[in-house]
Amino acid sequence: MVNNGVFLWCAPRCVATAVERSVRTLDNGQVFHEPFLTLFYYSPERKSSRPACAESLQAFSQSSYQSVCKMLQQDFEGKEFVLIKDMAYCVEGNFDIFLEEGFKNFKHTFMIRHPRPAVSSLFRLSTNPELAGWDYFDPAEAGFRQLLELYEFIDRHVHKNPVVIDAADLLKFPNDMMQSYCEAVGLKFDKHMTSWQPGPVAEWGPCTAWHDEVMKSSGFIAPEAPTSKVEDLPPEVATVVKECMPYYEALAARRILPKTRLLEIR
């Protein structure tokens, strides 16, 4: 059984892959990239209505939520922790699996980002087949509602006050935020973990568009301030951004703050 497991839950385009990349710089852990997402899109238990190629369906034809849980709960010899990064919407309707005995030593953490850049980025990738292989935008994949619902389930039934980090805080104060995150989940912070060598990660698969920015980066990069207003976005994107805001704001109210900002407040 895992002694220290960490789930990092997010909605798409919330910079969570950069956190995963940061944790991968530690050599004493086992990191999994979106095992539940593959079930959602490709397994016999798939819930997505998106077309899937026969090759992918065959590759995951023996996978199930039960098999993935069993894999994550096993002992990983020589490893001090396990981290799983995944999308909350991919476990919707299956929250009860986290009540299993094998997950009792796991902490659940949540990564958020303002819906305007997150949903805009999802729209851009979802509607460009040359980039990500998809050709339409599905509002259900924005994922903020499911992220809050999973947070509330964990807070009620698994452990109180799950850690929440906001991408804006992380990108502005990467050392502060990663140190606070590691302390909160029982990982040993390394001052070098906010930088890494650019390049692909094998576990991220062949579709690089989703992770292109992280693969080309060598650390956390603060984005430029958005110049457009919600009203300037395509109507379907603006609508989804507005729908996601209450869920984002509820989670943002619970986020941990950078130590630098806490000192400013005091």
Side-chain angles (χ1 to χ4, degrees):
M1 183 181 294
V2 174
N3 290 322
N4 186 17
V6 181
F7 280 107
L8 175 60
W9 298 108
C10 61
R13 319 306 296 159
C14 282
V15 195
T17 300
V19 175
E20 175 196 328
R21 184 65 186 86
S22 174
V23 174
R24 284 182 181 273
T25 65
L26 304 177
D27 58 9
N28 61 337
Q30 177 70 46
V31 180
F32 290 95
H33 181 75
E34 300 176 350
F36 292 108
L37 181 141
T38 59
L39 299 177
F40 184 87
Y41 286 102
Y42 307 120
S43 78
E45 297 179 83
R46 69 190 300 261
K47 297 182 180 180
S48 173
S49 59
R50 289 189 180 276
C53 68
E55 182 180 357
S56 295
L57 294 174
Q58 178 60 36
F60 298 100
S61 62
Q62 302 300 313
S63 298
S64 66
Y65 282 89
Q66 182 180 11
S67 66
V68 167
C69 289
K70 185 176 181 180
M71 174 190 68
L72 298 176
Q73 293 169 6
Q74 66 180 300
D75 285 323
F76 296 94
E77 187 174 354
K79 302 298 184 181
E80 297 178 14
F81 71 88
V82 174
L83 180 132
I84 304 101
K85 178 260 181 182
D86 221 318
M87 304 290 172
Y89 73 82
C90 294
V91 293
E92 185 176 18
N94 290 280
F95 293 172
D96 285 350
I97 61 178
F98 304 116
L99 301 177
E100 294 180 5
E101 178 70 12
F103 284 132
K104 72 175 184 178
N105 294 328
F106 281 73
K107 300 179 183 71
H108 294 257
T109 66
F110 294 78
M111 184 85 197
I112 58 173
R113 185 186 187 190
H114 193 285
R116 180 170 56 179
V119 177
S120 297
S121 179
L122 177 63
F123 178 83
R124 179 179 63 85
L125 283 171
S126 299
T127 55
N128 190 334
E130 294 182 2
L131 285 177
W134 290 356
D135 59 4
Y136 69 91
F137 173 64
D138 183 353
E141 292 169 335
F144 281 86
R145 173 183 59 79
Q146 298 93 328
L147 196 61
L148 177 60
E149 289 176 355
L150 179 57
Y151 175 95
E152 292 175 338
F153 176 87
I154 297 300
D155 186 56
R156 286 195 305 268
H157 302 292
V158 180
H159 63 77
K160 302 298 291 183
N161 301 317
V163 171
V164 179
I165 52 176
D166 192 308
D169 296 329
L170 173 67
L171 296 176
K172 189 174 182 180
F173 304 103
N175 285 301
D176 275 6
M177 292 304 297
M178 285 307 301
Q179 184 173 1
S180 295
Y181 182 76
C182 288
E183 289 173 355
V185 299
L187 302 185
K188 187 176 294 185
F189 175 74
D190 187 308
K191 63 182 180 180
H192 301 296
M193 70 186 297
T194 54
S195 61
W196 51 81
Q197 289 296 319
V201 173
E203 290 87 342
W204 292 352
C207 188
T208 60
W210 295 103
H211 314 303
D212 191 56
E213 292 181 10
V214 179
M215 289 193 298
K216 291 180 179 178
S217 72
S218 57
F220 295 101
I221 302 173
E224 296 181 1
T227 56
S228 62
K229 300 178 181 179
V230 172
E231 292 75 14
D232 298 328
L233 299 172
E236 59 188 311
V237 178
T239 296
V240 175
V241 169
K242 291 177 181 177
E243 291 174 348
C244 290
M245 281 303 299
Y247 308 120
Y248 165 76
E249 290 170 346
L251 288 164
R254 297 167 169 86
R255 75 191 193 278
I256 59 175
L257 295 174
K259 295 178 180 178
T260 303
R261 185 171 176 185
L262 287 172
L263 291 174
E264 292 174 353
I265 294 173
R266 291 171 184 169

